[in-house]
């Protein structure tokens, strides 16, 4: 199956695109886009991969579903389009960066600037119906994104994985902590973050220290 995705990722994931489950997933997603309001826009479905090629991937942040509100999702986990109000989880991410690195609070919630530096902003499920969180779960996306994580784990070394919340940590169990740098914390959503375990974790400075130690460029968070 010919999937429109960055060529570097296609080379590693081509066998996955040939799997029966992926054909079923494609049929489901196509029908959803025809009959429902689905996010992100179809052309941004694989935006995380297109903005962060395989060979440039240095950090992986795992999310769950795309945002399900109109105009929010742009194919990068936790990210929203320019001019869109920042969701609470993203606000808490920026607050932690501000405290950790002493940086000013960003004007834009669009995280393309991270992706273009080598941060793969990967949702477990790459599409969702409007106002219906979880509506595209269990259709095959999770199998695909598991394969993506396994590919990074097996084919690269020294990648920083940021696993926030139980869902991401369960999904990241296949990651080998001897090959990669795994950071875990509570989810940055208000209910979780305000109970402790998110603020003060200093994941962003830890990631940069690790990358610098490996002779790789730091991320400008």
């Amino acid at each position: 199956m010919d999937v429109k995705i960055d060529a570097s990722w296609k080379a590693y994931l081509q066998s996955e695109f040939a799997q029966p489950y992926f054909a079923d997933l494609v049929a489901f997603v196509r029908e959803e886009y025809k009959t429902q309001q689905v996010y992100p826009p179809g052309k941004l479905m694989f935006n995380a991969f297109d903005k962060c090629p395989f060979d440039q991937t240095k950090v992986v942040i795992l999310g769950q579903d795309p945002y399900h509100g109109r105009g929010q999702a742009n194919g990068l986990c936790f990210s929203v389009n320019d001019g869109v109000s920042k969701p609470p989880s993203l606000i808490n991410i920026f607050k932690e960066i501000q405290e950790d690195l002493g940086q000013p609070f960003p004007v834009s919630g669009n995280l393309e600037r991270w992706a273009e530096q080598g941060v793969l902003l990967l949702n477990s499920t790459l599409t969702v119906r409007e106002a219906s969180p979880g509506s595209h779960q269990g259709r095959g996306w999770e199998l695909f994104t598991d394969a993506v994580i396994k590919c990074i784990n097996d084919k690269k070394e020294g990648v920083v994985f940021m696993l926030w919340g139980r869902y991401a940590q369960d999904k990241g169990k296949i990651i080998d902590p001897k090959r990669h740098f795994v950071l875990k914390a509570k989810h940055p959503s208000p209910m979780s973050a305000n109970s402790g375990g998110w603020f003060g974790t200093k994941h962003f400075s830890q990631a940069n220290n690790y990358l610098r130690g490996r002779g790789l460029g730091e991320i400008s968070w």
Side-chain angles (χ1 to χ4, degrees), residues 147-190:
V148 171
I149 295 167
K150 187 176 189 305
C151 176
I152 297 169
N153 180 72
D154 295 350
K155 304 295 184 182
K156 296 179 76 76
E157 287 190 21
V159 174
V160 180
F161 284 88
M162 295 182 172
L163 308 180
W164 302 334
R166 184 179 297 175
Y167 183 90
Q169 290 164 22
D170 285 345
K171 193 171 181 69
K173 285 180 179 178
I174 62 174
I175 301 163
D176 182 356
K178 294 179 181 178
R179 290 172 61 90
H180 305 283
F181 187 41
V182 180
L183 294 168
K184 298 179 181 180
K186 288 279 191 74
H187 195 276
S189 63

Side-chain angles (χ1 to χ4, degrees), residues 27-100:
F28 167 74
V29 170
R30 281 177 176 165
E31 184 64 20
E32 285 285 287
Y33 273 100
K34 285 179 184 177
T35 61
Q36 307 290 333
Q37 183 64 56
V38 177
Y39 301 126
K43 65 181 181 180
L44 297 178
M45 192 184 307
F46 294 109
N47 198 29
F49 304 91
D50 295 335
K51 288 290 190 294
C52 181
F54 178 84
D55 57 333
Q56 295 178 28
T57 299
K58 300 188 289 189
V59 179
V60 178
I61 298 177
L62 292 182
Q64 193 164 352
D65 267 5
Y67 293 124
H68 53 83
R70 185 174 297 274
Q72 289 183 302
N74 61 9
L76 309 175
C77 74
F78 294 104
S79 173
V80 291
N81 287 314
D82 290 322
V84 176
S85 296
K86 301 176 188 69
S89 292
L90 184 57
I91 289 173
N92 283 341
I93 289 170
F94 286 163
K95 284 180 178 178
E96 173 60 18
I97 291 172
Q98 190 175 35
E99 180 66 25
D100 185 12

